[in-house]
Amino acid sequence: MGKFFNKIRQVFNIFLLSALIALAAAVFVYFLTSPEQRGAAFWISVVFMVIALVVETLQASGIAMRKNSGRNIPVSFTKFILGAVYFIFTIIIAFCNAFFALTETKLLLIEIAGLVVFLVPMVLINMAELRLTGSDRKQQEAGRQELASLSARVGYVVDDLKASGIPAAELTQIANFSESLKYSDPTPASGKLERAVEEAVKNLEETVSGGDIQAVLRACTLAERALKERNEYVKNAK
C-alpha cells in the first residue's frame, strides 16, 4: 500500500509542477495581452493549455502505475515526452497570441492542428502498446502453466512419500509448498530466478529416492526460499 501512495505522490508532484507552469504562463499571457484582446482568443489558449496539462498528467500516471516488470517503460516514456512537447506547444502558442494578436479563427485552427499532430503518433503508440500487452498476457499464461506443472510435480513427491509409509503430518510442509507454487504470481521473473525454482523442485524430487525424510524436508526448505526470492522479485518489479 505504501508503494501505491508513493506512485500517487509522484503523479501529483508532476501535475503540480505542470499546473504551476501553466498558471505562470497564463498570468504572463494575461498581462502581456491588451485589455481589448482578452476575449475568446485568450480563453482558447487557456483551454488548450489545460487540455495539455491533463494529457501530460495522464502520461505521467502511465509511467508511475506501470506493471509487467517495467517492460512498457519505453512506450510510456515516449508518450510522456509527446505530452510534454504538446504542453510546451500550447504555451508557445499562447505567447504568440499575446504578441501577435492572432484572430480567434486562426488561433483555433493552429491549436486544433497541434492537437491532431500530437494525437496521430499517440494513437500509433497506443496500438503498439496493445500488442505489448497481448504479449504480456501470453507470457503470464505460459508462467501460469509452468507453475502448475511444478506444483503437480511436488504433489507427486507427496504422493510417493505417502505410498512409502511416511505419515501425512510430516508432509505438510511439502504439500503447502505445492500450493504456494500453484498460486504464485504467474508474471515471469528473471530467467535466473525461474531456473532456480525449477532446479530446486528437481532436487526435491531426487531426494525422495534416498528415503531420508529429513533430507527431503531440507530440499523443500531450499525450494521454498527459491520461490520466495522469485516472488519478491516479481512483486518489487511492479
Side-chain angles (χ1 to χ4, degrees), residues 85-155:
V85 170
Y86 178 62
F87 181 58
I88 294 170
F89 167 80
T90 59
I91 293 176
I92 291 174
I93 295 303
F95 277 98
C96 287
N97 177 52
F99 287 119
F100 302 110
L102 301 174
T103 64
E104 295 171 9
T105 302
K106 185 178 292 186
L107 176 63
L108 186 59
L109 289 175
I110 292 173
E111 293 284 14
I112 291 174
L115 183 59
V116 170
V117 170
F118 161 73
L119 287 177
V120 169
M122 186 64 71
V123 170
L124 295 176
I125 291 172
N126 282 335
M127 291 171 63
E129 192 170 28
L130 286 175
R131 293 183 62 183
L132 178 64
T133 303
S135 175
D136 290 335
R137 282 198 295 268
K138 290 180 181 178
Q139 288 184 341
Q140 283 207 336
E141 182 58 32
R144 186 177 290 108
Q145 292 177 0
E146 178 63 21
L147 288 170
S149 174
L150 292 175
S151 174
R153 287 166 58 182
V154 175

Side-chain angles (χ1 to χ4, degrees), residues 137-185:
R137 282 198 295 268
K138 290 180 181 178
Q139 288 184 341
Q140 283 207 336
E141 182 58 32
R144 186 177 290 108
Q145 292 177 0
E146 178 63 21
L147 288 170
S149 174
L150 292 175
S151 174
R153 287 166 58 182
V154 175
Y156 296 148
V157 169
V158 174
D159 293 339
D160 290 344
L161 291 172
K162 283 181 180 179
S164 66
I166 304 296
E170 295 186 34
L171 305 177
T172 302
Q173 179 184 358
I174 305 174
N176 289 341
F177 175 58
S178 176
E179 291 296 302
S180 297
L181 280 166
K182 184 187 298 184
Y183 296 110
S184 290
D185 190 327

Side-chain angles (χ1 to χ4, degrees), residues 7 10 22 93 102 106 111 142 179 193-194 201 203 211 216 218 227 229 236:
K7 292 179 178 180
Q10 291 172 8
I93 295 303
L102 301 174
K106 185 178 292 186
E111 293 284 14
E179 291 296 302
L193 293 176
E194 295 289 353
V201 170
N203 181 57
V216 176
R218 284 195 297 272
L227 179 63
E229 186 176 357
N236 293 331

